Every structure is written in structure tokens, then in C-alpha cells.
Amino acid sequence: MSSEHTKLKRVLGFSASYGAAVGLVVSGTAMFSVSSVAATAGHATFISAAIGMIPMMVAAFAFGELTAMIPGGGMVSDYTSPALGRFWATFAVLSGYVMLIACDGGTQLVMGGLTLEQVSGIPQWVVSIGLLALVLLVNIFDVGLYGKVEGVVTVIMMIIYLLMSVLGAAGAGSVVGAAVPVAENATFLPEGGWDAVFGCVGSAVWFFIGFEFACPMAEENKKPYRNIPYALILGLISIYIVDVIFTYGAVKYTDLSVMAVSATPQVDASVAMLGQIGGMTMSILTILASFTTANAYMAALPRMLYGMAREHQVPSVFGRLHPKYRVPMWGVWFTLFLMLLTTVYISIQGGSSDMISMFINMACITWLVTYMIAMVDVLVLRKKYPDFPRLWKAPGAWIVMPIGMIGALYAISTLAYVLPQAIIVMVIVAAYAIIWNKAHKIPVNEVVPLEVYVNRVRERSEYLPVWDEAVVEWMDRRAAGKS
């Protein structure tokens, strides 16, 4: 069977969607950010996180509606092409997600490796490469297995994290003599006051960022218009609750100056809260988080590129499926290369706390820009196609989406120290989008009509009950209205 007639299988359900939604945000660098923000914002971390969650929840509403409308593998590219055109579609994916892999992929694997090295003595680079190889095998041989592995591992990971957080916050470590409250941390506001609390909003965004990685698997989901929106929302709420509980215990029992400079502050906080058992448990959790995050990267980015290749936004090789395993192999190899490259670089540089913060904050800025583009997509498509069947709708979109954009801009303003580097990356991506289209004699910002676009999604994916019927009925009405 040729790759042109091979379609992705619809084998995934809600659990896989939820696993993908939290598989990235419960990650090594996310837990690093949780502890790092706690070191600065203290007991008021829940306020920084709540403010940071506002644009994230709005983005969840946006991605939920857009996925329900256009359940394609290209994700934000699929949504932006009929809304804002080819240039913005290409820009949104490449600046947001390729930048993510370039900045965060290696950091995740290095963090998992460093954690295991601390408890076992196995060299960090051996562990990191081993995790990457395992993820590659899972994603090549069976995406259904990926869904099962991701769902099971994520549930285990969330339960462990929740139990540790509750036990630490409840003072279980004090009862057995393994934890001693730090008197200096008893006050509500940190040393820097409210300025420190509000200044952490951008970093707190990283608690949640990446939840939308469930969306690119829409072509393999049985009911993407239902499973994915609710998985996104539930994932954000789950992460907020668990993180807030964890930070309460971390601030109560940990020397904040230690967390502020550590490359694995979540492990240090766990030792302070629950003793060596806590440290060992968090080490296991960090390794599991590295695995699920790498899985999310390896599953999502190739499928984004797969959708983009079908729309001639990136080289056509990314649109080929392996005839036997039915996965976009060129996208898998490209993602592997990015993750391997950054793993090697960060390992050589030592993976310090400052380096980790710099990499994730750069990615955070470009990612927030992509989220804002998705919010604009919702409003533009509602204006252009008000009668298109939306099987899930964002509540109060005309009010909520602008609020989300303002929140995203505020978060970016708190990360101004890496804004120049992020702008350079975005300029390079914009140049690529212009040069690629001109070289292929395609209008730089060509807008694909929505009816043409959904037909392409239908042609390249397996039949989707309810959505297919609704779309056909909509197109029939439009055709009758034009005749």
C-alpha cells in the first residue's frame, strides 16, 4: 500500500487525550518551573499560577473549538490556514513547536538523566539516550501502544505527584522527623513582595504550557470533537491543583535559596518535605515525566509536519506515511534529530539552573505567540463561517479570547530578558515562510477556503461519525446557496 492511500488509524479515546494533555505539562522542566517559581514567589505561588492559568485556559477553549471544527493532524496550521492564511499558519507551527523541541526536548531528557545519575550512578548521557531510543521505538511500531503507554504512565505519574504533594503539605515528613519547617518562609509574601509574585507569571505559565499536544492526534482519535476539548480543560485544572499543593509544602520545608539555584529543585524540595524516601520518589517521577514528555514530542510534532506537508507548507517528505507502521517517519526522524542535538548540547554545557530557565523561557515566549494566533483564529473563523458546525464551542468567545491575549502579552512582558533571542527566532521563521512560498510560486499569505480544507482533512483521515455528516450537510447548504 502506498503512503498516499495510507490513513492514520482511529484508535485513541479520552484517556489518551488526557494523557497527551498532561503528559507534557507534568514534565521535568514543568516541575523545575514549579519549584523555581516557589523559590521566588513563596506561599503566594498559587496567585502567580492562577494569573498564568488565565491565558492557558482561554487557549484551551480556543484549541477545543478549533479541533472540533477541523480535526486534522496539522493542528494550529490546520486552523490558521483558512483563518489567517499560509504565512501565519507556517509561522505559528514553526515558531511555536519546532522552537519548543529545540529548546526543551533535550532539557527534558537531560533532567531525567541527571536525576537517575544522582540515585544510581549511571551516567546522565546514557540514561538520556536510552529514554530517547525507547520513545522512538514506541512511536514507530504502534501509536495505539503509545496511547496505552501514555495513558497508564501519566495516571501513575499524576497519582504519585498528588500523593507526594498532599503528604508533604500535610506535614507527614515532620511526623517521622524527616522534615523541619523553615521559620523564615512562614510569611505569606516573599522577600520581593507583590512585585516578585507578579513577576513570576511568565515562568508560571510553564506549569501548563503544552497541554494542547492532544490536538495533533485528532486524526487518530475516535471522538476528537468531544474527547480533546474536555481533556484540555481537565488537564489544566488537574495540574493547577497538584502544583499548588506541592508548592505549599515545598515552601514550608525547603531552603528557598537551595531551590533557586538547583538544576533539580523538585528533588531538593521533596527531600526537604519527606526525607530520602521523598527524594527517591520524586526522582522516579522526574524520570517518568521525561519519558511522557518525550513521547508527547515524538507523537505530536511529526503529525503537525504531516498536516503541513499535505498543505505544501514544508517539504513533501514530511507528508509520507510508512506503509507498514502508518506513522509519518520523516517527521519522526526530524524530531529525533532535534531532541538528540539539544540533549548533546545541554549535556556538554552542564545543564545549570540558569541554562534551563533561559531555554524554557525563550520557548515560552514563542509558544505564547502561537496561542494568541489560535485565539485570533477562533474569532476570525466565527466571523467568516458563522454557520459551520462547531461540535464544541468556546464560551463567550468575543469576550474571553481578548482577555486571553492580554494575559499572554502580560506573561511575555515578565520574560523580557530573553525577548531579543525569541524575536530573532521568530524573524528567521518568518523569513523561511516568505522564501518557501515565493520559491514555490505560491502566494505568501494564500487563504484556503474552509470547505476545501475540511475536504482535505476528510480525504486523508478515516471516517469520523457525526463530524463528517455535519460537514457534508454544511457544504451542501453552501453549495445550494451559491447556485
Side-chain angles (χ1 to χ4, degrees):
M1 183 184 297
S2 71
S3 62
E4 290 300 316
H5 296 88
T6 305
K7 296 182 178 181
L8 298 168
K9 297 178 288 185
R10 292 198 181 279
V11 296
L12 304 179
F14 176 82
S15 62
S17 300
Y18 179 77
V22 300
L24 183 57
V25 292
V26 183
S27 66
T29 54
M31 289 187 290
F32 166 90
S33 289
V34 169
S35 301
S36 180
V37 170
T40 302
H43 286 297
T45 297
F46 77 94
I47 296 177
S48 302
I51 298 172
M53 190 178 175
I54 293 172
M56 295 298 97
M57 187 59 74
V58 174
F61 292 160
F63 280 105
E65 176 170 322
L66 293 167
T67 302
M69 289 180 64
I70 313 170
M75 206 261 279
V76 74
S77 174
D78 282 0
Y79 318 145
T80 307
S81 288
L84 302 176
R86 293 178 59 88
F87 171 82
W88 289 108
T90 305
F91 178 86
V93 173
L94 298 185
S95 67
Y97 296 97
V98 175
M99 179 66 170
L100 162 69
I101 305 300
C103 287
D104 191 49
T107 304
Q108 297 284 355
L109 294 170
V110 169
M111 185 166 290
L114 284 171
T115 303
L116 188 58
E117 183 179 45
Q118 290 176 2
V119 298
S120 70
I122 301 174
Q124 167 265 311
W125 68 269
V126 174
V127 178
S128 299
I129 298 300
L131 286 172
L132 183 57
L134 178 61
V135 166
L136 176 66
L137 294 175
V138 168
N139 277 272
I140 287 179
F141 291 112
D142 193 346
V143 72
L145 176 61
Y146 158 78
K148 295 173 185 176
V149 170
E150 187 78 353
V152 171
V153 172
T154 299
V155 168
I156 294 173
M157 184 170 58
M158 289 290 293
I159 291 173
I160 294 173
Y161 190 28
L162 177 60
L163 287 175
M164 284 191 62
S165 300
V166 171
L167 289 173
S174 294
V175 174
V176 299
V180 178
V182 179
E184 293 83 357
N185 299 347
T187 58
F188 175 71
L189 285 177
E191 183 178 345
W194 286 110
D195 287 344
V197 175
F198 293 128
C200 286
V201 169
S203 297
V205 163
W206 199 264
F207 294 14
F208 314 103
I209 206 162
F211 65 89
E212 80 286 359
F213 263 53
C215 299
M217 305 186 76
E219 292 186 30
E220 295 155 279
N221 200 290
K222 297 173 185 177
K223 294 182 179 180
Y225 50 81
R226 177 181 177 84
N227 293 332
I228 291 178
Y230 290 114
L232 301 181
I233 295 169
L234 181 60
L236 288 178
I237 294 172
S238 301
I239 295 304
Y240 178 79
I241 292 172
V242 178
D243 282 349
V244 165
I245 296 173
F246 180 82
T247 56
Y248 173 80
V251 173
K252 184 176 181 180
Y253 294 105
T254 314
D255 184 336
L256 300 188
S257 64
V258 172
M259 283 201 295
V261 299
S262 174
T264 54
Q266 72 277 14
V267 177
D268 297 321
S270 299
V271 171
M273 286 190 292
L274 298 169
Q276 291 304 315
I277 293 178
M280 180 65 71
T281 304
M282 178 53 78
S283 296
I284 295 172
L285 180 61
T286 300
I287 295 165
L288 287 173
S290 297
F291 174 73
T292 57
T293 301
N295 249 334
Y297 287 155
M298 192 68 76
L301 183 59
R303 285 158 180 79
M304 293 181 202
L305 296 172
Y306 169 80
M308 293 180 71
R310 293 304 180 94
E311 303 306 320
H312 309 292
Q313 294 169 325
V314 295
S316 60
V317 293
F318 290 111
R320 299 176 187 172
L321 293 178
H322 191 283
K324 180 177 180 181
Y325 302 117
R326 299 175 71 177
V327 294
M329 285 301 302
W330 282 96
V332 168
W333 293 126
F334 178 68
T335 305
L336 175 71
F337 169 75
L338 288 178
M339 295 173 70
L340 180 62
L341 181 67
T342 53
T343 297
V344 172
Y345 176 78
I346 296 171
S347 298
I348 292 173
Q349 296 297 319
S352 67
S353 175
D354 288 342
M355 174 170 287
I356 293 172
S357 295
M358 182 189 72
F359 270 92
I360 64 178
N361 286 335
M362 285 173 56
C364 191
I365 290 175
T366 58
W367 222 343
L368 282 167
V369 171
T370 296
Y371 284 173
M372 286 191 286
I373 291 173
M375 296 173 198
V376 173
D377 289 342
V378 169
L379 300 181
V380 171
L381 290 175
R382 283 204 180 187
K383 183 72 173 179
K384 293 173 67 174
Y385 303 98
D387 59 339
F388 186 86
R390 291 167 172 83
L391 303 183
W392 193 91
K393 293 184 68 174
W398 291 101
I399 297 174
V400 171
M401 296 301 153
I403 292 174
M405 294 176 212
I406 293 171
L409 288 172
Y410 176 74
I412 289 173
S413 72
T414 68
L415 303 173
Y417 80 102
V418 290
L419 185 57
Q421 295 94 316
I423 290 175
I424 290 173
V425 170
M426 289 187 282
V427 168
I428 292 173
V429 170
Y432 162 82
I434 294 171
I435 294 170
W436 171 267
N437 286 314
K438 286 189 174 294
H440 291 81
K441 296 180 171 56
I442 301 172
V444 171
N445 207 32
E446 178 186 37
V447 177
V448 180
L450 186 56
E451 52 266 46
V452 174
Y453 206 89
V454 294
N455 265 331
R456 293 177 184 174
V457 174
R458 292 177 65 217
E459 289 169 3
R460 73 182 189 224
S461 61
E462 289 188 343
Y463 177 75
L464 179 58
V466 181
W467 182 81
D468 265 291
E469 289 94 329
V471 166
V472 169
E473 182 181 348
W474 173 76
M475 289 191 293
D476 287 344
R477 289 199 308 268
R478 285 180 67 85
K482 292 178 180 178
S483 61

